Amino acid sequence: MDALYAAAPALALSVLALALSAGRRGPAGLLPALSSACLFAFAALLLYSYSVVDWVSLVLSVTSFALVVVVTLYTTYYVEAERLPRSLPLLVSLFGFSISLTYLAVNLILFVIAWSFMEIIGFVLVRIGEEYSTEGSLRAARGYLLTSTTAFEITAFTLIVLSVPSIVSSYSPNVLYQPFAGATPVVEVSSPVLLALLLAGFVAKAALFPLHFWLPGAHSTAPSPASALLSGLTTPLGFYGLLRLTEIVDLTAWSQSLAYLLLAMGLSSIAYAGLEALGQRDGKLMLAYTTVLTNGFTALLFALYLTSPTSTLLLVAVVLVMLMQMGYKTVLFCGMGLIELAYGTRYIQGLAGVSQQLRTSSLGVLIAVYTLIGVPGTVGFLAKLLSMYLLLTGVVGGGGPPAVAALAGAVLYIALSAVVGVRVLSVYTASMRSRRPPLEFKQPNTPLEAAVLVMGLLSLAPSALLLQGLGGPGWLVALVVSTLPIPLLVSLLQTARVVTGVARAPV
Amino acid sequence: MPEPLFKALVDALSMGLVLAGALSVDSHPRLSRALRLAGFAVPLVSLVYAPYGLLWFQYFFLVLSFLVSIGVSLHNEDYYRIVYGSASYPQAVIDLSLVLLEVAFSSVNLIELFVAWFTLDLVLLLVILLERGMENYRVAVTYIVLSMLPCDLSLFTFWVLVSGRTGVYEAFTASFSELAATPASVGLLPALLLVVGFTAKLAQFPIHMWLPIVHPEAPSHGSAILSGLVVKLGAFMLLMTQTLFQYPAVVNAVLVAQGLVSSLYGFLAASAQDDLKRLLAYSTIGHTGVITVLLGLRGLLPVDTALLAVLYVFYHGLTKTLGFLNAGLLEQVAGSHNLYDLGYVDRVAPEATTPAVVAAMSLAGAPPTLGFTMKALTIYAVLTVALSRAASPEGPAWWALVVAAALVVSSVLSVIYSVKLVASYTSTPARAGLKKPEVGRLEVASERFLSGLIIASPALALLLPSAPAVFVLVSYAALAPFVIGLHLRRAALPEEKPWATGVEL
C-alpha cells in the first residue's frame, strides 16, 4: 500500500500536467504533455514493481496513456480546424486520463470510481459530437447514456451489493480495498440473474452482439479524437473488467456456461458487425462496426481463457488483441478525422489516392491498416499468430464442436478484418491509372498529421515490450524487433510519389 | 555463425539490394539493373557458403524463382517506363514480391517462411491495387478471402503440428531438414486442414475461382508473378507437408480427384475464353491440376512423381510467366487483351511473336519446348502403370487408366487454346495504316531469355532416373525444323504496301 501513497501524487501531477497541455499550441502544450506521460509511466512502474498491480494493468495503462497524450495534442489542433468548442481538448484529456486510470486501478473502489467518471465525460463528448456533427445520429448520446453507462452502473452496484455479505462476515470492507494483483475470489454468485447483472456492464461496454446497438451511433457521432478514445481505449475496458470480475467473483461454477455465452456472442458479433462494416460508405461508421468485429474476436479468446484460466499464453493473446485494438483504432479514427478536414466529407466511397496528399499522416494510418490486416512486425500479426495457434491446438487436440466454432469465428474474423483493411488501404493507395476527377482538397495543419504519424509509430511498440516483460525466448523479441521495419518500409513506399497517367490508347 | 542468423543476413542483403535497385530505376537504370540482378542472385550464391542445406525440392523452386525474377523485373522496367514514363514505384512493389518469394522458397525454418509469406501477402495486395487502385478493391477482397485465408489456416495448422513435436516456440526455429529426418504421422482432420489451404493456393477445384478473377484484373507483371510463382507456393507447401508428415492415404486420393477435375475443367474453360489473360488464368488451373495429380500419385508410379511434379512446376512457372509477360506487351502494343480484337499484332510488333509462339507451343506440349517433354513424361508414367498389369489376371489398373485418359483429354484441350493464343498474333491478314508502337529493348530481351530457357531445358528430364531419354532427344531434334520454320516464315512475309481506292501507291 505504501507504493500507492507514492504513486498517488505522481498521478495527480500527471493529470494536472495533461490538463495544462490541453488546448495549448506548440512547446507550451508539448512539454506538459510529455512530462505528464513520464509521471504516469513512473507511477505505473512503481505500482508494478511493488506488485500492487499486475503486468496486464501495466501494459494496458501505459500503452493507453501514451496514446491519450498524443490524442490530446491532436485535439488541440483539431478543435481549431473544425471550430469545435474550446473545452474539447480538456474534456478529451480528462476522459483519456480516466480510462488509463481505470486500467491502472489497484482495487475495486478505484476501478468503479474511475470508470464512472469516464462514463460521464464520455457522455458529454458524444453530446458535443451530436450538436456539432452534420452526419451523425441524433440519438447517439441517449443511446450511450442508457446502454453503456446505465449497464455499467448496474453492474458496479450489483458487485458492491454482492460483496456486502463478505464485508459483514469479516467485519471489514476488505473486499473493496484488496488489490487486484493476487486477489482471492470472495464474492459468490447464486443465481443466473445476478450473473447477468454482473456481466451486463462489461458486455455492453465491449458492445458484443445483443448489446452492440448503441456503439456505431455513439462512436461515429463523437468528434474524431473522442471517437478514437471511445473506440480504441474504452471498448477493451469491457474485457479488462471481465478479467477483474473473474478475480473477485468466484465463477468456477459458471465458467463453462459463461464461455459458451461469450462464444455465441463473439461469433454473432463477428458475423453481424463484419458484414455491416463492409456495407458502410461512412468511414467512421465503418470503423465503429470494425470495433464490434474486433471485440467479437476478443470474446472468442476470452471464452477460451475462461475454460482454462491458468494458461498464460491465452491471457497474453487476449491482451495482445486488446493492444491491437487500442493501436489501430485510435490511429484510424484520427486519420478519418483528417480526411474529414481535408476533403470536407467522411464518405470514403469516392475517395482514392489519399496517401499522395496527406503524406505524413498516411504513414501512420498505413501502419495501423497493416496492424489490422496482420502484417509481420505489427501487434496484429502477433495477436493473430498466437490466437490461431491456440485455437488450432484446441481443434487438433480434440476440443470438439466449441473449439471448431471458435476456430471458424477466428477465420471469419481474419477474413473480414483483412477485407476492411483493404477497404481502407484502397482509399489510401494511389492508382497509376486514375479516372476520377480529384476532390477539392484543403491541407490540414502539419502538427495534426504529425500526431497521427506518432500514434501509428506508437502502435508498433507494445508487442516488443510485452514479450520482453513476459520473458519469452530472446529470439522471439529479436524477431519482433527485426520485423518492425517491414510495416514502416512498406508504408514509406506507399506514400512515395507515384506517377499517374493514362495508359496509351489502342492502336 | 549460427544458421538462422546467416540466413537472416542473406535475406536482408538480398532485399536491400533489390529495393535499392528498384527505387533508383528511373535515375540510374544501369546501376539499378546490376543491383537488382545481384539481389536476386544473393540467395542462390549464398548456398555455396551456407552452413545449412535445403530440402531437395527447394533448390528447384529457388532456381525457378531466380530465373522468373530476372525475366519479370527487366520486363517490368521497360513496360512502366514506356506506358507511364516512370517505373520506380511499380518496380519496387513487383521486385519486392519477387525477392520475398525467393526468401519463402529458400526458407530454412518456419519463422522465416511465416514472415516471408505474410509480408508477401501484403505486397501482393499492393500489386493488385497497383494500376487501378480503388477499382481493384473487389479483386483484392477475392484474393484475400479465397486464396490468402485458406492458406493462412493451413500454415497455422502446419505450425501447430510441428509444435506438437518440438514445443510452441521451438517449432519456429527447428530447421526443416531436421524435421524431415523423422516424418511425424498426423490424423485425417489435421491432414485435410493442411491440404485445403495449399490446394486453394494451387487453385484446385472447390476453391479455384479466385484465380480467373484475380489474374485478368491484376497488372500483367503481377499476374506473371501470381501464376508463375505464387500459385507454386501451394505445390511447395504440399511437398513440404509430404516430406515432414505422414498422413492417411485417403488424402492423396483426394488430391488426385481434385487435380483431375481441375485439370479437365481448367483446360476446357481456357479454350472457351475470348480474353487472353483469362485464358491464361484458366490454363493455370489446368496445369496446376496436373501438378496436384502428380503429387497425389506419390509412390504409386515407377517414376519418382514428386520430382516429376517439381519439374512440371519448373516448366509451368517459366511458361506461364512468359505468357503473362507477353500479354502485358500485347496490352502495351495493342491496348487490349481481347483475342477477337487482335490478330494483327505480328504486323506491328513482330518482336513479340516468337516468344508468344514458344509460350503457346510449350503450353500445348509441342516439341522442341520443355512442355512436350513434361507432358510426354507425365502421360508415359501413368500409362506404364495402367498397362503393366494388363496381361495379369486382375486386369489393368483402372484408376491409372482413368487418370491417363483424363490427362490425354486435357492435353488435347490445351492444344485448342494454344492455337487461339497464336491466332491473336497472326490470324488477321495485313491491315494498312497501322502505326508501329514502341516496344522496349528490355521487354524483348526478357521474353527471349525466358523462351530460350524453355527451349534449352528439356534436358532436365534426364534427372528422372527411370524415365526414357527419348522424349528429350525428340525435343532437341525438333529444334532444327522449328528454327527453320520461324526463319522461313519471317522471310516469306510480304512487304506491307499501303493502298487506297484500288490504286497501289
Side-chain angles (χ1 to χ4, degrees), chain B residues 169-417:
Chain B
Y169 295 124
E170 290 76 10
F172 276 137
T173 41
S175 82
F176 287 141
S177 40
E178 277 170 33
L179 291 171
T182 50
S185 60
V186 295
L188 185 60
L189 175 71
L192 285 177
L193 272 179
L194 278 176
V195 163
V196 72
F198 301 141
T199 51
K201 200 76 179 176
L202 260 175
Q204 292 308 287
F205 164 58
I207 319 185
H208 61 279
M209 53 289 219
W210 65 273
L211 197 138
I213 298 175
V214 173
H215 285 207
E217 300 299 329
S220 295
H221 299 83
S223 317
I225 298 175
L226 281 168
S227 202
L229 296 177
V230 174
V231 166
K232 307 300 186 297
L233 274 173
F236 178 78
M237 286 312 294
L238 281 180
L239 276 163
M240 193 69 98
T241 308
Q242 292 186 334
T243 316
L244 262 54
F245 303 109
Q246 282 172 330
Y247 51 73
V250 66
V251 178
N252 272 341
V254 172
L255 282 182
V256 173
Q258 273 188 299
L260 286 181
V261 173
S262 311
S263 130
L264 285 173
Y265 167 73
F267 287 133
L268 188 65
S271 42
Q273 299 304 316
D274 54 4
D275 182 294
L276 175 58
K277 285 171 86 174
R278 188 157 291 148
L279 182 153
L280 288 173
Y282 275 109
S283 139
T284 300
I285 297 185
H287 279 290
T288 49
V290 178
I291 295 171
T292 317
V293 170
L294 286 175
L295 288 174
L297 289 179
R298 194 168 191 174
L300 293 175
L301 298 189
V303 177
D304 178 7
T305 48
L307 181 55
L308 188 55
V310 170
L311 291 178
Y312 204 98
V313 164
F314 191 85
Y315 142 65
H316 183 250
L318 284 181
T319 309
K320 204 39 74 67
T321 309
L322 178 61
F324 271 111
L325 289 184
N326 199 265
L329 186 58
L330 212 79
E331 212 176 346
Q332 171 194 329
V333 167
S336 158
H337 37 76
N338 187 332
L339 287 171
Y340 296 110
D341 287 350
L342 300 168
Y344 61 90
V345 182
D346 186 46
R347 309 287 302 172
V348 293
E351 305 93 322
T353 314
T354 316
V357 170
V358 172
M361 285 174 78
S362 187
L363 286 176
T369 57
L370 182 55
F372 165 72
T373 320
M374 284 300 120
K375 196 163 273 187
L377 271 178
T378 311
I379 295 178
Y380 160 81
V382 181
L383 269 183
T384 343
V385 178
L387 302 178
S388 62
R389 292 192 312 185
S392 67
E394 69 252 49
W398 292 110
W399 62 266
L401 269 184
V402 172
V403 174
L407 287 178
V408 170
V409 172
S410 323
S411 110
V412 171
L413 287 172
S414 70
V415 174
I416 298 177
Y417 74 75

Side-chain angles (χ1 to χ4, degrees), chain A residues 41 73 92 95 108 118 129 208 246 360 373 417 457:
Chain A
L73 292 174
V92 165
F95 182 58
L108 187 61
M118 174 201 85
L208 291 177
T246 57
T360 317
I373 298 179
S417 65
L457 293 175

Side-chain angles (χ1 to χ4, degrees), chain A residues 420-477:
Chain A
V420 172
V422 170
R423 183 85 181 81
V424 184
L425 193 65
S426 62
V427 168
Y428 276 82
T429 312
S431 59
M432 302 193 72
R433 201 183 293 182
S434 53
R435 293 195 194 139
R436 289 203 178 90
L439 289 174
E440 201 175 309
F441 174 74
K442 198 178 91 198
Q443 180 71 43
N445 257 336
T446 320
L448 269 175
E449 286 214 65
V452 175
L453 172 61
V454 173
M455 278 181 241
L457 293 175
L458 273 181
S459 72
L460 284 177
S463 51
L465 291 178
L466 182 62
L467 289 172
Q468 179 70 54
L470 279 179
W475 63 266
L476 194 61
V477 180

Side-chain angles (χ1 to χ4, degrees), chain A residues 134-451:
Chain A
T134 49
E135 286 145 336
S137 149
L138 287 176
R139 289 174 295 181
R142 204 174 73 196
Y144 182 82
L145 192 68
L146 288 183
T147 316
S148 174
T149 311
T150 313
F152 173 71
E153 295 309 334
I154 290 174
T155 297
F157 283 107
T158 314
L159 199 53
I160 291 172
V161 168
L162 280 179
S163 49
V164 166
S166 157
I167 296 173
V168 173
S169 65
S170 62
Y171 298 106
S172 83
N174 215 355
V175 183
L176 303 180
Y177 293 127
Q178 71 164 342
F180 285 130
T184 45
V186 280
V187 180
E188 280 174 13
V189 191
S190 48
S191 86
V193 179
L194 285 178
L195 187 69
L197 287 180
L198 278 181
L199 289 180
F202 302 126
V203 171
K205 194 77 226 167
L208 291 177
F209 174 61
L211 294 177
H212 66 283
F213 48 85
W214 63 274
L215 185 141
H219 287 196
S220 64
T221 306
S224 289
S227 312
L229 295 188
L230 276 168
S231 212
L233 304 189
T234 65
T235 59
L237 208 49
F239 293 103
Y240 179 77
L242 276 181
L243 182 69
R244 292 304 176 216
L245 192 71
T246 57
E247 284 167 5
I248 304 172
V249 181
D250 186 14
L251 287 174
T252 36
W254 301 99
S255 65
Q256 200 63 36
S257 38
L258 205 54
Y260 284 136
L261 185 67
L262 274 177
L263 195 63
M265 290 199 286
L267 278 172
S268 36
S269 301
I270 289 174
Y272 169 76
L275 296 177
E276 279 287 342
L278 292 179
Q280 300 303 326
R281 294 190 164 199
D282 178 343
K284 282 180 80 175
L285 210 49
M286 183 183 80
L287 291 180
Y289 276 110
T290 316
T291 301
V292 181
L293 174 69
T294 312
N295 286 341
F297 182 55
T298 322
L300 293 185
L301 290 175
F302 202 88
L304 278 190
Y305 174 70
L306 278 178
T307 52
S308 52
T310 47
S311 157
T312 323
L313 266 186
L314 265 169
L315 188 56
V316 172
V318 172
V319 172
L320 271 175
V321 179
M322 283 157 80
L323 285 173
M324 172 181 92
Q325 160 81 357
M326 282 186 176
Y328 84 80
K329 198 43 71 61
T330 318
V331 184
L332 287 186
F333 263 115
C334 289
M336 204 51 79
L338 276 183
I339 285 186
E340 215 174 340
L341 273 183
Y343 297 98
T345 175
R346 61 191 207 206
Y347 289 103
I348 54 174
Q349 193 63 19
L351 222 52
V354 176
S355 70
Q356 297 295 298
Q357 288 181 308
L358 295 169
R359 296 178 66 186
T360 317
S361 60
S362 294
L363 253 179
V365 173
L366 287 171
I367 292 175
V369 173
Y370 299 149
T371 309
L372 177 61
I373 298 179
V375 172
T378 60
V379 189
F381 177 66
L382 281 181
K384 286 184 185 172
L385 196 71
L386 199 53
S387 0
M388 281 306 278
Y389 174 79
L390 293 164
L391 290 166
L392 274 165
T393 321
V395 172
V396 175
V404 175
L407 180 67
V411 170
L412 192 61
Y413 165 72
I414 291 183
L416 289 168
S417 65
V419 172
V420 172
V422 170
R423 183 85 181 81
V424 184
L425 193 65
S426 62
V427 168
Y428 276 82
T429 312
S431 59
M432 302 193 72
R433 201 183 293 182
S434 53
R435 293 195 194 139
R436 289 203 178 90
L439 289 174
E440 201 175 309
F441 174 74
K442 198 178 91 198
Q443 180 71 43
N445 257 336
T446 320
L448 269 175
E449 286 214 65

